[in-house]
């Protein structure tokens, strides 16, 4: 595509709020006192533009002259300073890079260039190698990012090699318990031992063959807590309601659930007691009793849609009001910004696909104590303060860009959320009923898929 051009952009002193915030975190949260100053610099590599286009974009796309300092091509750093860069993993959606590429495309009225971004950190001070490693670990989440090279690349084009053969897992159906456990650890599977044993039994008895690695990865992704809601679908074998001021209310609700459950499911063995069944039982019972006449029923509904009579310009008009909530507990826990952003995005998507305009949102979250000492972080998890802050940025980023007002934001702090983050986004939308056509596709119809690139989702890209 041509020569790769590089530009570094950083905020002028006084405007470097983010850099000063990170410096404070390193001193306070990580306890690293020897650091004197920290610079955060955005690095842009661009391929597919000429010199004149670069000069045009330099102070219109990449930087704002009143608040930014620009370094063309080379960033000079004293020898005794520490420096590293980090970037998104391949396949992870980089909003900054995509926005820059779109702006340059509009300016040049030519082919969209390739843009890659990285964040460069420059540290002044006396710090040890272990402290330097702690700073990297604090800033770089391996789920979505990686340490970037400081060298200039020859090209930004990604060349992905398509495998000619798909690996078959030899002797998978013969693995014993010890070998299965080792296999789970080696491949970092989300499923539990019982899940893997079930999968093994299926391929052994029903398919009579060993699965491919791709098949196991796909099953593992869709059986994760994010996709299958394993927490809500876990079978509850024994329930004990503890003595408290809520005991009578909880017992009454549970007894009503059991009665409704008997009316709806009977003695079906494939319908165990679980949190999902409890959450949906009331609506199932109301529908069976014929008391949901205002519920819109269709094969394609992704959001709860009810029919209301609205007064429009003094005249009654039928509208569809749609409600949707999305939980992104696991994605937000491991990739806070993207997880919380797509939590709201997922809630928006479904009423939007029902042809309604989304008017209002609500965010309810659960976190451990974000002010707790970072050293108390549970092994394998991000610090609560990192999750809380970045999730708030992610949620607001998505909502602000689409122009959606969030009228209720409530975060609950409890140690119980240290093991499992709670991230809920809920929205309400509405549309005149006459504007919505509920039709089915037929064999031979042409289906057009419209959308933008999205990220790895932190969970296999399901």
């Amino acid at each position: 595509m041509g020569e790769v051009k590089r530009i570094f952009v950083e905020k002028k002193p006084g405007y470097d709020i983010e850099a000063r915030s990170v410096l404070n975190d390193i001193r306070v949260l990580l306890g690293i006192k020897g650091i004197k100053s920290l610079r955060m610099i955005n690095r842009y590599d661009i391929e597919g533009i000429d010199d004149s286009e670069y000069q045009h974009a330099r102070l219109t796309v990449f930087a704002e002259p009143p608040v930014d300092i620009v370094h063309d091509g080379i960033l000079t750093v004293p020898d005794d300073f520490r420096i590293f860069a980090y970037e998104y993993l391949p396949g992870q959606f980089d909003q900054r890079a995509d926005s820059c590429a779109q702006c340059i495309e509009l300016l040049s009225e030519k082919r969209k260039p390739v843009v890659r971004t990285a964040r460069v950190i420059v540290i002044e001070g006396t710090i040890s190698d272990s402290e330097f490693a702690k700073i990297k670990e604090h800033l770089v989440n391996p789920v979505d990012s990686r340490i970037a090279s400081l060298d200039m690349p020859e090209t930004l084009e990604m060349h992905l090699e398509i495998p000619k053969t798909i690996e078959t897992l030899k002797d998978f159906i013969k693995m014993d318990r010890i070998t299965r456990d080792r296999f789970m650890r080696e491949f970092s599977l989300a499923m539990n031992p019982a899940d893997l044993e079930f999968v093994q039994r299926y391929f052994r008895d029903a398919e009579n063959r060993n699965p491919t690695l791709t098949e196991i990865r796909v099953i593992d992704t869709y059986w994760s807590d994010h996709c299958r809601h394993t927490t809500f679908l876990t079978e509850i074998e024994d329930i004990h309601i503890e003595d408290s001021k809520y005991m009578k209310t909880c017992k009454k609700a549970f007894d009503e659930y059991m009665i409704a459950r008997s009316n709806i499911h009977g003695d079906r063995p494939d319908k165990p007691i679980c949190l999902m069944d409890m959450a949906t039982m009331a609506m199932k019972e109301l529908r069976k009793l014929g008391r949901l006449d205002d519920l819109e029923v269709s094969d394609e509904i992704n959001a709860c849609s009810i029919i209301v009579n609205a007064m429009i310009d003094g005249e009654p008009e039928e509208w569809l009001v749609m409600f949707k909530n999305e939980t992104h507990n696991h994605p937000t826990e491991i990739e806070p910004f993207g997880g919380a952003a797509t939590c709201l995005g997922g809630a928006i998507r479904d009423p939007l696909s029902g042809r309604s305009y989304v008017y209002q949102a609500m965010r309810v979250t659960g976190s451990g104590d974000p002010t707790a000492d970072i050293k108390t972080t549970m092994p394998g998890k991000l610090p609560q303060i990192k999750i809380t802050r970045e999730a708030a940025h992610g949620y607001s980023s998505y909502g602000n860009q689409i122009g959606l007002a969030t009228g209720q934001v409530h975060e609950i702090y409890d140690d119980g959320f240290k093991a499992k983050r709670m991230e809920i986004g809920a929205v309400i939308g509405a549309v005149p009923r006459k504007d919505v056509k509920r039709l089915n596709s037929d064999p031979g119809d042409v289906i057009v898929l419209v959308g933008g690139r999205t990220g790895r989702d932190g969970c296999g890209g399901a």
Side-chain angles (χ1 to χ4, degrees), residues 9-20 37-40 65-71:
V9 180
E10 66 176 313
K11 294 299 177 188
K12 292 179 178 178
Y15 297 96
D16 55 342
I17 298 170
E18 186 178 7
R20 284 186 286 170
S37 68
L38 181 142
R39 295 164 61 192
M40 299 191 75
V67 298
D68 289 325
I69 301 170
V70 176
H71 309 270

Side-chain angles (χ1 to χ4, degrees), residues 152-381:
M152 175 74 87
E154 292 183 3
T155 179
L156 301 181
E157 288 289 330
M158 291 180 63
H159 299 287
L160 303 176
E161 185 177 342
I162 300 175
K164 296 179 181 178
T165 58
I166 300 174
E167 178 186 355
T168 297
L169 298 171
K170 185 180 179 183
D171 295 330
F172 175 88
I173 59 178
K174 297 179 181 179
M175 290 192 301
D176 57 21
R177 182 182 61 80
I178 295 175
T179 309
R180 282 197 306 269
D181 290 346
R182 187 166 61 244
F183 176 81
M184 283 184 60
R185 290 194 300 272
E186 180 183 349
F187 288 91
S188 301
L189 299 183
M191 65 177 78
N192 62 35
D195 291 333
L196 187 59
E197 185 179 4
F198 177 87
V199 173
Q200 182 192 41
R201 208 162 45 240
Y202 168 79
F203 279 102
R204 183 191 64 208
D205 301 339
E207 296 281 342
N208 193 28
R209 66 177 177 87
N210 288 309
T212 65
L213 179 58
T214 301
E215 288 174 314
I216 293 299
R217 288 294 192 195
V218 170
I219 293 172
D220 189 60
T221 294
Y222 283 95
W223 274 16
S224 69
D225 193 41
H226 174 42
C227 299
R228 195 179 58 156
H229 289 300
T230 51
T231 300
F232 298 132
L233 292 172
T234 297
E235 182 175 352
I236 300 174
E237 298 177 346
D238 182 55
I239 295 176
H240 172 68
I241 301 174
E242 295 180 349
D243 188 10
S244 72
K245 64 179 180 180
Y246 303 112
M247 179 176 145
K248 288 184 179 179
T249 302
C250 290
K251 189 175 187 313
K252 181 174 180 291
F254 180 70
D255 290 342
E256 289 176 353
Y257 159 71
M258 291 301 290
I259 293 170
R261 173 184 164 78
S262 178
N263 294 335
I264 299 299
H265 297 324
D267 297 325
R268 289 176 59 180
D270 61 326
K271 293 291 184 180
I273 296 174
C274 64
L275 294 176
M276 186 70 80
D277 195 51
M278 292 181 184
T280 58
M281 184 52 65
M283 294 303 103
K284 291 177 181 177
E285 185 178 36
L286 286 172
R287 186 171 178 181
K288 185 176 181 179
L289 294 173
R291 293 166 62 183
L292 291 181
D293 294 337
D294 58 350
L295 179 68
E296 187 200 20
V297 179
S298 166
D299 291 339
E300 73 158 73
I301 292 178
N302 283 316
C304 173
S305 180
I306 62 172
I307 304 163
V308 301
N309 286 312
M311 294 301 293
I312 306 297
D313 297 327
E315 297 293 330
E317 185 173 311
E318 277 196 342
W319 277 59
L320 297 177
V321 177
M322 300 185 190
F323 302 89
K324 178 65 179 184
N325 75 283
E326 181 94 2
T327 59
H328 263 212
N329 307 329
H330 179 67
T332 305
E333 187 169 274
I334 64 173
E335 186 194 336
F337 185 96
T342 51
C343 176
L344 178 61
I348 293 169
R349 169 199 61 215
D350 293 338
L352 203 62
S353 70
R355 268 75 84 197
S356 74
Y357 183 88
V358 181
Y359 290 93
Q360 277 282 344
M362 175 177 71
R363 181 177 185 236
V364 181
T365 57
S367 168
D369 182 0
T371 66
D373 191 328
I374 202 168
K375 294 176 183 176
T376 64
T377 301
M378 296 177 68
K381 292 185 178 289

